[in-house]
Amino acid sequence: MRQERWLPMIALTALLAATPGAAAAGEIPLTLEEAIGIALRNHPALAAAAGRENGAWAAHDRAAAERWPQLRLESRLAHLSEVPATEIPGREPVPLAERDTWVTSASLQQLVYSGGRVSAAVRQSGRGAQAAGDARLRTRQLVAHGAERAFRVLLATQEEIGVAALNLAAAENHLRVAGERYAARAAARFDVLRAEVQAEEARQEVIRADGNLMAARALLLQALGLPSGEHRALPPEPAALPQPGVDELLAAAERDRPDLRGLARQLAAADAGVAAARAERYPTLALAADYQLVTPESTTVFTRWSLGALVSLPLLDGGRAGARRREAVAAVVQAGAAFAQGRRQVEAEVRQVVARVATAAAQVRVAQRQVEQAEELARLADVRFSGGVGTATEVADAKGSLARARYGLVRARAERGIADAEQALAVGSVPTEAPAERTQPATAGGTKQ
């Protein structure tokens, strides 16, 4: 029959799709480690996070600059349209200035005492910069997690293509047997029609799996920060590690989550902001010196130098200092609430992901048993139908159960991998350093961190 010509090709397609490492022409083989490495080198979110951290450290340097001497140099060249002069009776007018004058002045100032304002501002900006660094690390963890999630989705769609090809091959084989039995007058036309419907449904699953593969590849490109490329995910080695307890994971999250550490540093920065605001009511003391060079000199503008001390004490500012203190205290309250909320959120995430990992592991075990049972049921249905004992309905039901079981196993394995990745993200153990890339570059470069 016509279907017999396609049976070897379908079987070959199923074999290629189900074989790890098999890649079509133009596809780029990709391991999980390489996917994370590419994402950590190319994703634009990392450049934005690094920019925010650099800006925070620049603000810290600006605050610390007040501790050091401040030297200012100015130079001015002036031309007077009319030179003022002093009239002295019986003498010629005495000019008070020169028509063309070049004045260069240097001013030096050193802060001696600020009531702790500068030190508090430096602490505040330093804690803020460290919190920005923690936010950058968390961004790297999120990018790595996104890459792993997209990788596992692609891997699952690849396996679904293999399952769809296997199901189509089985449906085509059943259609061949039904046609042979119909030709031998051992089966009814209904059996052939039922087999043809089942084969068409299997073809639709192949088409749907191909569409899912294209969507998964697009999702992977977005997660990796690449503009183009067709990657093929290579199955990672299974890690048979014992599942830690909830208390152990909570302790790890408390220690390793950079966003939680950043919230603690933001709270410390807010405390330093209160100290800086309170110091504004204290006097400040600075030493100042300046030197002025005039060419040419005149009776009113001449070369000179000075040395002195500057004392500043705010007496009346319209309530600005008080408002600044209240603002700083409110910032402490907000930062403390954010830190407490962050700790509760982390605890909830850890507990939820532990439950999800346990559920996913149980689903994988159940799905594996279902596949084994469905394969045996399909085999017996084929034997019964070939022997003239069973019906086409029995075969169709058995094949449908097997297809659903295979898809269920693929999805259960994908869910288990994603659940493990989410557990690593919840406790802050996702890698933040890009491993050495071993694949060929997939085009596009990224911002160097």
Side-chain angles (χ1 to χ4, degrees), residues 18 28 104 132 156 176 297 309 343 356:
I28 303 173
T104 300
R176 179 184 60 81
E297 294 182 334
R343 294 185 66 178
R356 182 173 180 183

Side-chain angles (χ1 to χ4, degrees), residues 94-107:
V94 178
L96 300 179
E98 296 292 334
R99 184 173 295 277
D100 296 304
T101 307
W102 182 17
V103 180
T104 300
S105 60
S107 302

